Amino acid sequence: MATAIALVPALTPLQPAQVAAAVTAPSIQPRGLPASPADDDVKDVPLVVSEITPESVGEKSTVTVTGRVSNLTEETQTGVSVRLRYSSYPLSDRDALDAHADGEGSTLYQSGPRFAVDGDLPPGVSVPFTLKAKAKDLDLLGGLGVYPITIEALSDSAGAIDAQHTFLPYIADTKTGDLDTIKTAWVWPLMGRPQRADDDTYLGDGLNENLAADGRLGVLLSTGAQEGEIDPAETGEPVDPDAEETPESPSPSPAASPGQEPGDETPAEAETEEHSAGQVPVTWAVDPGLLADIERLSSSGYQSLTAGRDPAEQPALQDHDVSVNAQAWLTHARRWLDTDPLLASPYADADLPALLAADLDYDAERSVRLGQETVREVLGRDADPTLSWPAQSSMDSATRDFLAAGGTTTFILNDAALPAQRWLGYTPTAAVSLPVPDREAGTALVADSKLTAAMGADTHSPGAATLSRQRFAAETAMIAAERPSVDRTIVLAPPRDWDPSREYAEGLLEASDSLPWLDVVALNDVKVDNAGTKSRQKLTYPDKLASSRLSGDELDDVRATRRQVKLFNSVLADDEDPFRPAVLRMQSAWWREDEALAAVTRARVSETVETTKGKVHVIPGEPITLASKNGTLGVVLANDLETRPVKVYLSIFSENSERLAVGNYTDSMEIGPGGKTTVYVPLSAKVNGRTVLHMSLQNADGEPLAEEQTMTPVNVTGLGTGALIISGSAVLVLILALAPRALRKWMRNRARTEEASQGPAPEPAGGVGADAMPHNGNGPVRDESAAAASETAPDLSGRQEPDGSADTDRESETVGVDGDADGAPRP
């Protein structure tokens, strides 16, 4: 360059400022800002470009590049300098732009301003730099276009230190009217992969961190809403979508001015509306599955898996308290997303092409229906059912027909799904007509894949946000420069898992509104360009995407789990489907890119379904003994589910029905949450021995709830018929033998009782009672015949005294059953 480019002094007044000079024209170099230790965030970046202004360069602009250079080596570097190199010719196309961004473009020979470090640069020390040049001195020859620049750091001792490749979008003279603005519409994603396996188990604790004010989802929500940062202390109660709104009574505004009529805007209100009107319009795209994951975090404590990604590894669980981050995030989301356009993906971003190809249409329908229900429950409002953003921004014809049948009229796709015509030499418009069988044509809004990739760059490292924002300006300027006089539309749809820095996200929104070649509009204001429709090919589903969809083996695992879920649901008395969200999470398109975590998710859900089914069971009993021909068995059934009643059928059969038969019993019953009930089952034994009873709980169709059955051994010990007859006969003989003796004893006891009741008689001579002897008028007379009979009568007891006389007094003693007088058992 023939002319030196003057540079302004650095900002610090305490020391002399260094000034960069053009290589071709030496000048005095004032000293720069003092060196400082390198920050931790630049320890891996020796050259950081922190700002480039302006983003859009005009003829009268002054280009300013600021940043810092650091010595990250262990040796002192001498002769360190930073310089700007550029080309005075614009890049020819977007491919050349990509090449330069990757450092693979043509060498830039023009030299711009240069900054030299005063003195040596010790290890671990950083020095700020500023490069300035007037646009007219750069002699940009092509007018409207994108010019490549490179910022280089060099040293005499180490040579090239680092280089950053970026761009200068340039508009020579906008008064000519050659430049037509490009309509630009935003789709702002609040999406991400499923965070849970079953409803209560998270795959990690990353979601809680992402919901913080400076986390991924926290930044996306606050920057997209353009309302400031999330206040962590501001939490609220969950929204009840069925609650009726309470009308608020109007009240006079405290800011009303004299003479203001009721209903007129106050200055504060007018300022608020003006601020809202000045915001960049965005259309929010939410994943209902992610919203449900966030809502679960905000309601109660939860568990997360801490194991690796091997499904065979026994996972460890970590307990967490309720997430305050989730509560604050939901509170702000309900407020900030209240009126903006909103679209919802199917629940957990289901892999619709895979489900439809595998004849799982019912699951595909449930994912859409549950998605709409979840948005209503969590956010308290409905999503627009006419807008769809298919997974990976692409779809096959079956998915198109399925979504169209559900009410979709506008499809957000990428340019791999609707490629530009091969003969087209520029970027076609985004809004085109999309043929849909058996109905009016729909609308396709095609996002540019290169823009999407550029916006998805990592912007968390030092200087990355500045370079990425400059890349966005360059990409859009290049599109505008391709056909300056052709009306076109571009759709800005960042990646679904977008993780921008706050600086970058805010910068993109500002750039889309401030760059002179862009005219930001609402997505629903974009109209189809019928002429532009011809510039795109027909709907295409790339082979790479078709081959990456969920495989047959993966869906077979899902089917197996669904069968167990269906069996469990069949015994629920409230006719619900509690595992429906978990099954749909297993079918997410996100698992295309993470097969290991997908396997862990499927294994965890399958295990949870089996465990939950096992909570409705027969309580095993102890082995029982049946000591008679007939008996009754009490079977206890338990429902350990805490919130759900069940209706089950008890099935019992004998392993050997000829030995032990099961009678009629009540086989169906409803058991409340946490309840138990007992079923009494009659049993009939025919032969002694051991028999096993098999018990299982079934649904109404006779399908067992569990593969394993409860077994109860029954031991029959009752006697046979012949033994019963013999025993009965022996008892009868014993009764007949003892009856006479018992009768005689009873008669003697009765006689004695009667004698005792008559009182004592006078003692006759000879010691014989007077009442025992007959009277002849002069005294008692002895009955000789009776006495003789008494003396000669045999002893019924069969026992004799030692002197040979009968012991008649023993007849008055108690007689035992075995014949002993005292009732004691005989030896």
Side-chain angles (χ1 to χ4, degrees):
M1 296 178 62
T3 306
I5 301 176
L7 298 177
V8 297
L11 298 178
T12 304
L14 298 180
Q15 296 187 17
Q18 289 182 330
V19 174
V23 173
T24 55
S27 61
I28 300 175
Q29 300 182 9
R31 297 182 182 274
L33 295 174
S36 61
D39 296 335
D40 291 338
D41 60 353
V42 298
K43 60 184 179 181
D44 295 328
V45 185
L47 178 63
V48 174
V49 177
S50 56
E51 187 179 19
I52 300 176
T53 59
E55 287 180 319
S56 171
V57 179
E59 291 180 341
K60 299 180 180 180
S61 300
T62 298
V63 179
T64 303
V65 181
T66 60
R68 68 173 61 187
V69 59
S70 305
N71 181 2
L72 303 183
T73 68
E74 297 179 355
E75 302 292 336
T76 298
Q77 295 180 350
T78 61
V80 177
S81 63
V82 180
R83 66 179 180 180
L84 184 150
R85 300 185 68 85
Y86 71 100
S87 172
S88 58
Y89 293 93
L91 295 170
S92 58
D93 53 32
R94 297 182 69 187
D95 289 339
L97 190 150
D98 292 340
H100 176 70
D102 295 337
E104 300 174 355
S106 302
T107 302
L108 306 181
Y109 292 104
Q110 278 88 358
S111 295
R114 183 187 184 106
F115 168 88
V117 175
D118 184 21
D120 297 337
L121 190 62
V125 174
S126 296
V127 173
F129 69 85
T130 299
L131 303 176
K132 286 193 175 184
K134 293 182 178 180
K136 64 179 181 179
D137 293 335
L138 296 178
D139 195 20
L140 305 179
L141 302 178
L144 173 64
V146 177
Y147 294 80
I149 64 173
T150 297
I151 312 299
E152 294 178 326
L154 309 169
S155 75
D156 295 340
S157 57
I161 297 176
D162 196 9
Q164 302 292 351
H165 308 283
T166 185
F167 310 92
L168 289 180
Y170 180 74
I171 300 178
D173 186 3
T174 57
K175 296 181 180 180
T176 60
D178 293 336
L179 178 64
D180 287 342
T181 59
I182 298 178
K183 291 183 174 62
T184 306
W186 274 102
V187 179
W188 202 264
L190 293 176
M191 312 182 88
R193 68 164 177 79
Q195 298 293 314
R196 288 182 290 175
D198 58 75
D199 283 356
D200 295 324
T201 306
Y202 285 77
L203 299 171
D205 196 33
L207 179 57
N208 179 51
E209 299 172 359
N210 286 336
L211 294 171
D214 58 351
R216 183 181 82 86
L217 293 171
V219 169
L220 285 176
L221 177 62
S222 59
T223 55
Q226 304 161 68
E227 293 284 358
E229 295 187 22
I230 294 175
D231 182 1
E234 187 175 352
T235 59
E237 297 297 328
V239 170
D240 182 2
D242 299 327
E244 296 183 0
E245 296 183 358
T246 303
E248 298 180 358
S249 59
S251 59
S253 171
S257 59
Q260 182 178 348
E261 296 295 331
D264 290 349
E265 292 180 349
T266 66
E269 292 171 346
E271 183 179 354
T272 300
E273 291 187 3
E274 181 180 357
H275 175 69
S276 299
Q279 290 182 341
V280 176
V282 299
T283 295
W284 298 92
V286 299
D287 184 340
L290 183 61
L291 290 181
D293 293 340
I294 297 171
E295 197 278 333
R296 173 65 181 81
L297 283 184
S298 70
S299 60
S300 62
Y302 60 99
Q303 292 181 320
S304 65
L305 295 176
T306 59
R309 293 172 173 252
D310 185 0
E313 180 181 353
Q314 185 65 26
L317 292 175
Q318 183 176 357
D319 294 327
H320 303 274
D321 295 330
V322 62
S323 171
V324 177
N325 289 339
Q327 292 176 341
W329 193 94
L330 283 177
T331 298
H332 291 80
R334 289 162 182 154
R335 181 192 310 146
W336 291 342
L337 274 63
D338 184 46
T339 58
D340 289 342
L342 176 69
L343 70 87
S345 70
Y347 191 91
D349 214 359
D351 193 340
L352 296 182
L355 297 180
L356 297 175
D359 295 328
L360 294 174
D361 300 48
Y362 178 61
D363 282 9
E365 293 170 359
R366 290 198 304 175
S367 68
V368 175
R369 186 167 59 251
L370 182 59
Q372 294 288 340
E373 294 172 358
T374 302
V375 171
R376 187 180 309 114
E377 292 172 0
V378 176
L379 296 181
R381 58 162 297 186
D382 289 320
D384 187 349
T386 66
L387 288 175
S388 289
W389 189 9
Q392 298 179 312
S393 301
S394 192
M395 62 182 181
D396 55 11
S397 57
T399 303
R400 174 202 59 193
D401 298 345
F402 169 79
L403 293 174
T408 298
T409 58
T410 302
F411 304 82
I412 299 173
L413 305 171
N414 61 19
D415 50 14
L418 287 172
Q421 295 288 358
R422 293 184 176 87
W423 46 264
L424 200 66
Y426 61 92
T427 303
T429 187
V432 297
S433 176
L434 179 67
V436 178
D438 302 328
R439 52 165 291 179
E440 294 183 3
T443 299
L445 301 179
V446 185
D448 185 84
S449 58
K450 288 186 177 181
L451 265 177
T452 298
M455 288 188 292
D458 180 13
T459 56
H460 292 280
S461 58
T466 297
L467 297 179
S468 295
R469 178 170 171 172
Q470 204 69 15
R471 174 72 180 272
F472 171 81
E475 291 280 359
T476 54
M478 182 69 76
I479 294 174
E482 290 171 341
R483 288 291 186 275
S485 59
V486 176
D487 292 333
R488 284 172 294 164
T489 299
I490 59 177
V491 172
L492 303 177
R496 276 168 145 79
D497 59 349
W498 195 27
D499 184 16
S501 66
R502 182 178 299 278
E503 174 191 0
Y504 179 56
E506 292 174 345
L508 281 189
L509 284 173
E510 180 185 349
S512 65
D513 192 38
S514 62
L515 291 174
W517 51 85
L518 298 180
D519 178 20
V520 64
V521 298
L523 190 72
N524 53 14
D525 290 337
V526 175
K527 305 301 180 183
V528 171
D529 185 346
N530 292 322
T533 299
K534 299 179 181 179
S535 63
R536 293 194 178 273
Q537 303 177 40
K538 65 180 181 179
L539 181 66
T540 302
Y541 195 58
D543 293 340
K544 182 179 180 180
L545 295 183
S547 61
S548 68
R549 65 190 180 191
L550 296 182
S551 67
D553 292 341
E554 292 169 322
L555 292 179
D556 286 344
D557 290 344
V558 175
R559 284 191 178 94
T561 301
R562 286 177 68 250
R563 284 193 292 268
Q564 298 306 313
V565 170
K566 182 179 179 181
L567 179 59
F568 173 71
N569 292 344
S570 66
V571 301
L572 295 180
D574 51 11
D575 195 26
E576 292 188 3
D577 188 2
F579 284 104
R580 177 173 59 167
V583 172
L584 293 178
R585 285 192 290 268
M586 296 167 62
Q587 300 168 335
S588 173
W590 288 94
W591 302 134
R592 293 185 177 194
E593 302 171 1
D594 198 337
E595 295 181 2
L597 193 57
V600 171
T601 301
R602 292 194 300 270
R604 179 67 185 180
V605 173
S606 177
E607 177 185 353
T608 302
V609 172
E610 291 297 329
T611 301
T612 305
K613 279 199 313 168
K615 292 184 178 181
V616 183
H617 60 102
V618 178
I619 296 180
E622 298 294 333
I624 63 174
T625 299
L626 190 64
S628 61
K629 181 178 181 181
N630 298 314
T632 301
L633 171 64
V635 180
V636 181
L637 311 182
N639 174 19
D640 294 336
L641 301 174
E642 296 180 356
T643 59
R644 303 184 186 280
V646 297
K647 184 175 183 180
V648 292
Y649 294 79
L650 175 63
S651 172
I652 302 179
F653 69 91
S654 173
E655 194 172 64
N656 189 339
S657 58
E658 295 181 356
R659 174 177 294 174
L660 181 67
V662 178
N664 295 326
Y665 59 93
T666 302
D667 63 345
S668 66
M669 64 290 299
E670 184 169 324
I671 311 174
K676 293 181 176 64
T677 188
T678 301
V679 179
Y680 295 97
V681 181
L683 302 176
S684 176
K686 299 179 180 179
V687 182
N688 287 354
R690 184 178 183 275
T691 305
V692 175
L693 293 179
H694 295 264
M695 306 178 216
S696 65
L697 293 181
Q698 302 177 352
N699 61 11
D701 297 329
E703 298 173 302
L705 195 58
E707 295 181 1
E708 297 183 358
Q709 297 179 341
T710 302
M711 295 183 292
T712 299
V714 178
N715 189 27
V716 180
T717 61
L719 300 177
T721 304
L724 290 176
I725 294 176
I726 295 173
S727 299
S729 301
V731 171
L732 180 59
V733 170
L734 180 61
I735 292 174
L736 293 176
L738 296 178
R741 173 173 290 188
L743 180 61
R744 288 194 300 271
K745 179 179 179 181
W746 175 77
M747 293 177 66
R748 287 195 300 272
N749 290 339
R750 182 177 181 185
R752 292 174 180 173
T753 302
E754 290 177 354
E755 291 176 358
S757 63
Q758 293 176 2
E763 188 88 13
V768 180
D771 58 347
M773 300 181 63
H775 289 260
N776 59 3
N778 295 320
V781 178
R782 181 175 181 178
D783 190 348
E784 298 292 338
S785 61
S790 175
E791 292 174 357
T792 59
D795 182 11
L796 293 179
S797 66
R799 301 172 65 180
Q800 299 290 328
E801 293 296 327
D803 58 359
S805 63
D807 183 11
T808 57
D809 291 338
R810 292 183 179 271
E811 292 293 329
S812 63
E813 297 177 9
T814 302
V815 180
V817 176
D818 56 15
D820 285 348
D822 56 2
R826 292 179 178 177

